[in-house]
Amino acid sequence: MTIFVTGAAGFIGANVVRAFLAKGYDIHAIVKSSTNIWRLKDIEKKIHIHAVDLSDLSKLTRLCTHINPYAIFHFAARGSSMEDADAAAIERVNVLGTLNLLLATQKISYHAFINTGSSSEYGFKKRPMKETNILEPVSVYGATKAAATLLCSVFARNEHKPIVTLRPFSVYGPFESGKRFIPTVIRAILANTPIHVTSEKVRRDFVYIDDVVSAYVAALLAAPRIHGEVFNVGSGIQWTNNQVVQTLFAVTKQSVPIEVGAFPKRYWDTTYWKADRKKAGVVLGWKPQVSL
C-alpha cells in the first residue's frame, strides 16, 4: 500500500517514513527542492522522493492523482523556530499548503489523511491542554497551525473524509535538529562546557519520537471511524529545563556547570505546558511507553 508523506525530510516526518518503510509500505516522500535530506540519505533509494512545492496546486494534484495513496501524512510546516520569522512564508506553507493538499486529494478515496498540528495552537493554559480548549495561539506559527487544523476538520465534516489531526507536544529523539534543547545539552556534556537554560519556572511536556510514531500508526488504523477528530500526543508530564539537564547528568554519570536563567526567556515560554492525553488513550488506545 502506498503512503504519501509531505515534510518527509523533517524530524517527525523522517521517523514516520522509516517506520512505515520497515512495515513494507511503498513510500512517496514530498520535499522542497532546496531541502537537505540528510535524515533520509541512507534510505533514499528505497523510497520515491518528489520535489514538489505545496503552493503549486496543479502539479500537486497531478502527482497525488498519479500516486493514488492509501494514506496521507502531512508534516510540511514552517515557523517552529525563532530563526524563521517570515510570517507570509509561514502562512503560505502552513495554511495554503494544507488547503492545497486537501484540494489535491479531494477526489481520492484514501483510507486516512493524518494532519500534524501543534501544541502551540493552544496558547497559554493553566490546566492540562484538552482538545476541546479554546485555541489562543501566541505566535504566527501557532495561529497558522490552528487554521490548518480547522481546515482539515471542515473537509472531514463536509466531504466525509477520514481526516485526523495529531497535536505533538515537545518531541525529542533520533534525527532531531542539533540546535534544539536536548541535543544541545548532550553536546555540552560531551564537550564539558557550561549549559545555559531558561528560568527554573519554564516547563514543557517532552515526548519521545518512538511514542509519537506509534500515535501516527494508531491514528492510521482508526481514521475511518474518527474522521475530523483531534488528538494530543504528549507524555502528560511537564518538566523544567533544569530537570531535563539533571536527568541527562544522571544518564551520562557526569555533569557540567549549569546557569539557570542565563538563556533569555522567549515569548512562547510559559510556566505550564502539559498535555491531557486521555482522549488518545480512550479512542486510539495510545499511551507513551518511553519515560524521559
Side-chain angles (χ1 to χ4, degrees), residues 183-193 252 254 256:
T184 298
V185 175
I186 291 173
R187 284 201 313 274
I189 294 172
L190 294 174
N192 195 30
T193 58
T252 59
Q254 62 187 82
V256 297

Side-chain angles (χ1 to χ4, degrees), residues 1-28:
M1 290 179 286
T2 302
I3 300 289
F4 187 83
V5 186
T6 74
F11 171 35
I12 302 177
N15 276 280
V16 167
V17 165
R18 289 171 173 276
F20 281 99
L21 182 64
K23 293 177 181 292
Y25 286 85
D26 185 29
I27 310 294
H28 286 259

Side-chain angles (χ1 to χ4, degrees), residues 71-121:
I72 300 149
F73 290 90
H74 182 35
F75 297 102
R78 279 194 65 165
S80 60
S81 67
M82 284 190 73
E83 292 82 12
D84 193 351
D86 187 338
I90 294 170
E91 184 275 336
R92 186 167 59 250
V93 174
N94 297 356
V95 182
L96 178 61
T98 301
L99 176 60
N100 281 348
L101 186 61
L102 290 165
L103 291 171
T105 57
Q106 195 169 14
K107 295 181 180 179
I108 296 173
S109 298
Y110 48 74
H111 174 82
F113 182 127
I114 313 299
N115 174 55
T116 303
S118 170
S119 61
S120 296
E121 296 175 47

Side-chain angles (χ1 to χ4, degrees), residues 21-41:
L21 182 64
K23 293 177 181 292
Y25 286 85
D26 185 29
I27 310 294
H28 286 259
I30 304 301
V31 299
K32 291 186 299 183
S33 57
S34 59
T35 299
N36 183 342
I37 62 169
W38 65 272
R39 293 181 176 95
L40 303 173
K41 207 64 182 174

Side-chain angles (χ1 to χ4, degrees), residues 190-224:
L190 294 174
N192 195 30
T193 58
I195 298 168
H196 295 173
V197 298
T198 52
S199 163
E200 177 65 24
K201 295 180 180 179
V202 174
R203 290 172 171 80
R204 287 280 166 175
D205 182 327
F206 290 93
V207 57
Y208 190 58
I209 185 62
D210 287 1
D211 285 326
V212 174
V213 170
S214 72
Y216 280 87
V217 173
L220 173 64
L221 297 174

